[in-house]
Amino acid sequence: MRELDSMKENVNVRFVLLIFFFVVYLCIGGAVFSAIEGPAEEKRKEQMSHFVVQFLNQHECIHFKDLNEFIEEVVKAYETGVSAVNNATDNPKSWNFASSLFFAATVITTIGKGTVTPFSNFGEYFCLAYALLGLPLTLLLIGASVERLGVITTKFLKYLISKLGHLYRTVTIQLIHIAILGLFIFVFFYIIPAIILDALEPHWSFFESVYFCFISLTTIGLGDYIPGETHHHFKYRDLYKVCIVCYLMLGLIAMVLILELMVHIPELNAGLLFMIPKHDLGENTEEQHLPTESASMYTLNTESQSDNDEKPLTKNIK
């Protein structure tokens, strides 16, 4: 009992430290971004003020108040996906089927590219209802997909153990397994898409393309880079948008898969350090060590392996 109380106390201490370091990390991020972007913002403000003054000097018939109202209308239009550059009527609609499909995908995947948002009240209401149903549906689809891909990755892990089990510990082989899959995901969901985006997006660099892939697949979704918005007259723009939607869905599944692999390796699962002992919840002490069905792909009957790290592991493969 005293040991249980000590374990619970240690977990709580670690949890408090986690909160502390999280707050410190947030403050560091705020300070760094402020130091980097603050001067750039001031410089941009000065450039904009100079541009406005120069424009008014060249067009004395325009009053500052009228110009300010015009700029506000342009900004409002841009925030709803309507461009005032050149002839706006020549630009493709932001709410055609392909663009709307892209928006719907960013909503239910929580990526949330925020440059185009509903501006009608009914559209906002529908967005709420659509997200309420779409979010759990997306999670269900991703979970089911990851489970099926887990069957394939488990076979690959068993193959690695059958070949390397007499040389390395289980955890080492699991790390090799994750490293191989991680490299595959990095190449096929970051590098190759970035090369394609770099070729198709006229104003994007390769780094900016990688940035878009990372921001999207981690569901951060800042909305500063939107594919298909910088070349409105691209012949296959609608098909391009649909392909981006497919890429986002497949990429999210791949990201969840690699995270699922890492979670079921205790050495990589830092969350275990902050879990309250199940003894305290009145559960069977043996049950907390029993692997769940979803985690079984990484246990592979390797219990008590810490006591037999030097023994061959091929005997665990059924």
Side-chain angles (χ1 to χ4, degrees), residues 87-302:
N87 187 357
T89 58
D90 292 337
N91 294 333
K93 296 180 179 180
S94 296
W95 292 101
N96 61 10
F97 177 75
S99 296
S100 300
L101 181 68
F102 177 80
F103 172 78
T106 61
V107 169
I108 63 175
T109 57
T110 70
I111 294 175
K113 299 290 184 180
T115 54
V116 177
T117 57
F119 54 89
S120 66
N121 289 334
F122 182 75
E124 292 175 345
Y125 299 149
F126 178 75
C127 185
L128 289 176
Y130 187 75
L132 285 175
L133 179 61
L135 289 173
L137 181 63
T138 302
L139 292 175
L140 185 63
L141 173 62
I142 292 177
S145 300
V146 168
E147 182 181 7
R148 283 155 178 77
L149 288 174
V151 175
I152 300 175
T153 57
T154 301
K155 291 181 179 179
F156 179 50
L157 177 58
K158 289 181 177 181
Y159 172 79
L160 290 178
I161 291 180
S162 67
K163 297 297 182 182
L164 304 175
H166 63 289
L167 298 174
Y168 302 106
R169 298 168 53 192
T170 302
V171 64
T172 302
I173 301 176
Q174 289 174 322
L175 293 176
I176 294 173
H177 176 246
I178 284 187
I180 294 174
L181 293 178
L183 180 61
F184 177 86
I185 290 173
F186 178 71
V187 170
F188 283 91
F189 289 95
Y190 286 89
I191 299 302
I192 293 178
I195 293 173
I196 296 174
L197 288 169
D198 183 31
L200 294 179
E201 295 292 337
H203 304 297
W204 292 15
S205 65
F206 175 75
F207 174 79
E208 289 170 333
S209 300
V210 173
Y211 172 83
F212 165 79
C213 294
F214 177 81
I215 292 297
S216 299
L217 297 187
T218 53
T219 70
I220 296 173
L222 297 178
D224 45 353
Y225 290 93
I226 306 295
E229 298 300 317
T230 54
H231 47 34
H232 297 298
H233 301 290
F234 181 37
K235 183 178 180 181
Y236 301 104
R237 181 173 179 268
D238 290 347
L239 177 61
Y240 179 46
K241 286 279 191 179
V242 173
C243 290
I244 291 294
V245 171
C246 295
Y247 160 73
L248 292 177
M249 290 302 304
L250 292 175
L252 284 177
I253 291 172
M255 293 296 293
V256 173
L257 174 64
I258 198 69
L259 291 175
E260 187 79 5
L261 301 181
M262 296 176 66
V263 163
H264 289 114
I265 298 180
E267 288 79 0
L268 297 180
N269 189 357
L272 295 176
L273 297 174
F274 308 98
M275 293 180 64
I276 299 176
K278 292 187 177 180
H279 312 70
D280 191 57
L281 302 178
E283 298 185 14
N284 191 323
T285 57
E286 295 180 359
E287 290 181 355
Q288 66 173 336
H289 300 294
L290 293 177
T292 62
E293 185 176 349
S294 61
S296 61
M297 64 174 108
Y298 294 103
T299 57
L300 291 174
N301 297 324
T302 57

Side-chain angles (χ1 to χ4, degrees), residues 302-316:
T302 57
E303 61 273 8
S304 303
Q305 185 60 40
S306 58
D307 299 330
N308 301 282
D309 285 338
E310 304 302 326
K311 295 182 180 181
L313 303 177
T314 53
K315 64 179 182 180
N316 294 323

